[in-house]
């Protein structure tokens, strides 16, 4: 079965540290890729997305992600995190050739120490 | 501002009672809405797809008689947890597609259900 793997369930960083959250998926067809974020007490919202074109996509709040098709990966990065980035991050993959199923990763809780 | 509104945010009920959760699309009409369940330390689990004017489509393993979905209008879908039991305690989230079949979603705030 198709799956999305987020390698880290919990990440703790200090402010100004660089961030990379891993996301790998198992599906050989066409995909749309997403990172969603859930700040404490708030609803899930879109951070960034990849549909086609430049595999390096930029999202809100200085986040970016790179789609590497050969590695089935869509890792999320930010060069310098802030305390306000504390949140839970979810990677999601839409299987465009398989009934548009949206498969979710388990999420990564990111805590930024001030 | 919020695009999808969910109510109530928190609900505590006794075992055996039924609980209704509403999901409203605020700024646009939604022929489709999705209901998710979020377990602690786990990914979102799609429970069902709510279709305006027709029956909901349930995912494998989700009891349709237990989780009743009604999508009576283009802006409102409801999820009713019938005869709730403690194992139904969870975080329920509705979402509305921004664009059909792309995977891009707007989410409600979620509803935390606790069954005593």
């Amino acid at each position: 079965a198709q799956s999305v793997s987020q390698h880290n369930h919990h990440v703790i960083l200090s402010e100004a540290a660089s961030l990379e959250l891993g996301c790998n998926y198992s599906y050989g067809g066409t995909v749309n890729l997403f990172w969603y974020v859930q700040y404490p007490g708030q609803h899930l919202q879109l951070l960034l997305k990849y549909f086609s074109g430049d595999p390096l996509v930029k999202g809100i709040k200085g986040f970016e992600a790179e789609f590497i098709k050969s590695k089935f990966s869509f890792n999320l990065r930010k060069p310098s995190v802030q305390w306000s980035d504390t949140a839970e991050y979810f990677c999601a993959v839409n299987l465009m050739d398989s009934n548009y199923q949206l498969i979710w990763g388990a999420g990564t809780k990111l805590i930024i120490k001030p | 501002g919020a695009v999808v509104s969910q109510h109530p945010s928190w609900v505590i009920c006794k075992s055996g009672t039924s609980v209704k959760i509403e999901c409203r699309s605020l700024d646009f009409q939604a022929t489709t809405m999705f209901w998710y369940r979020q377990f602690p330390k786990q990914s979102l689990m799609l429970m069902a797809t709510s279709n305006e004017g027709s029956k909901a489509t349930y995912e494998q393993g989700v009891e349709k008689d237990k989780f009743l979905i009604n999508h009576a209008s283009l802006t409102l879908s409801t999820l009713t947890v019938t005869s709730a039991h403690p194992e139904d305690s969870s975080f329920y989230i509705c979402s509305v597609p921004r664009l059909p079949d792309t995977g891009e979603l707007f989410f409600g705030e979620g509803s935390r259900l606790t069954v005593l």
Side-chain angles (χ1 to χ4, degrees):
Chain A
Q2 293 82 10
S3 64
V4 176
S5 175
Q6 289 184 241
H7 313 301
N8 308 100
H9 292 299
H10 289 88
V11 173
I12 301 174
L13 295 172
S14 298
E15 276 196 312
S18 65
L19 170 71
E20 181 160 4
L21 300 182
C23 173
N24 285 87
Y25 62 94
S26 58
Y27 181 69
T30 306
V31 294
N32 285 350
L33 301 161
F34 304 88
W35 278 96
Y36 285 92
V37 61
Q38 189 171 27
Y39 296 103
Q42 296 187 30
H43 60 277
L44 275 158
Q45 57 186 284
L46 182 68
L47 191 61
L48 48 76
K49 63 187 179 186
Y50 171 82
F51 285 4
S52 63
D54 188 344
L56 183 63
V57 293
K58 296 191 184 298
I60 59 172
K61 304 188 180 186
F63 285 90
E64 65 179 30
E66 184 174 14
F67 171 43
I68 303 179
K69 191 173 182 180
S70 61
K71 294 186 177 180
F72 301 93
S73 70
F74 191 56
N75 292 356
L76 180 70
R77 300 193 292 248
K78 185 170 183 177
S80 176
V81 294
Q82 300 172 308
W83 176 78
S84 59
D85 294 324
T86 295
E88 189 157 16
Y89 294 80
F90 293 90
C91 180
V93 178
N94 199 35
L95 311 183
M96 302 300 288
D97 305 328
S98 182
N99 241 1
Y100 306 103
Q101 293 179 71
L102 187 62
I103 312 295
W104 292 84
T108 298
K109 280 196 173 168
L110 175 64
I111 297 172
I112 306 300
K113 298 183 294 183
Chain B
V3 176
V4 181
S5 176
Q6 211 173 317
H7 177 80
S9 302
W10 293 83
V11 57
I12 301 172
C13 70
K14 291 182 179 179
S15 188
T17 59
S18 294
V19 173
K20 181 186 283 188
I21 301 170
E22 292 186 348
C23 178
R24 292 184 184 275
S25 171
L26 299 178
D27 293 331
F28 57 97
Q29 296 178 332
T31 55
T32 301
M33 294 185 180
F34 301 105
W35 286 96
Y36 285 91
R37 185 171 177 176
Q38 188 176 19
F39 294 95
K41 299 182 182 179
Q42 294 187 36
S43 63
L44 281 77
M45 183 194 81
L46 179 64
M47 298 175 64
T49 302
S50 174
N51 304 300
E52 188 269 334
S54 64
K55 291 182 180 180
T57 305
Y58 289 83
E59 296 300 304
Q60 195 172 7
V62 178
E63 299 175 59
K64 56 183 69 175
D65 295 329
K66 174 76 169 173
F67 299 99
L68 298 179
I69 290 172
N70 186 357
H71 195 147
S73 76
L74 288 170
T75 58
L76 174 64
S77 175
T78 60
L79 167 68
T80 302
V81 184
T82 63
S83 187
H85 291 284
E87 58 265 29
D88 299 324
S89 299
S90 193
F91 195 56
Y92 294 90
I93 308 173
C94 74
S95 67
V96 172
R98 180 177 176 271
L99 295 169
D101 299 329
T102 62
E104 186 174 350
L105 304 173
F106 292 118
F107 287 89
E109 305 92 326
S111 299
R112 172 78 59 193
L113 171 63
T114 301
V115 185
L116 303 176

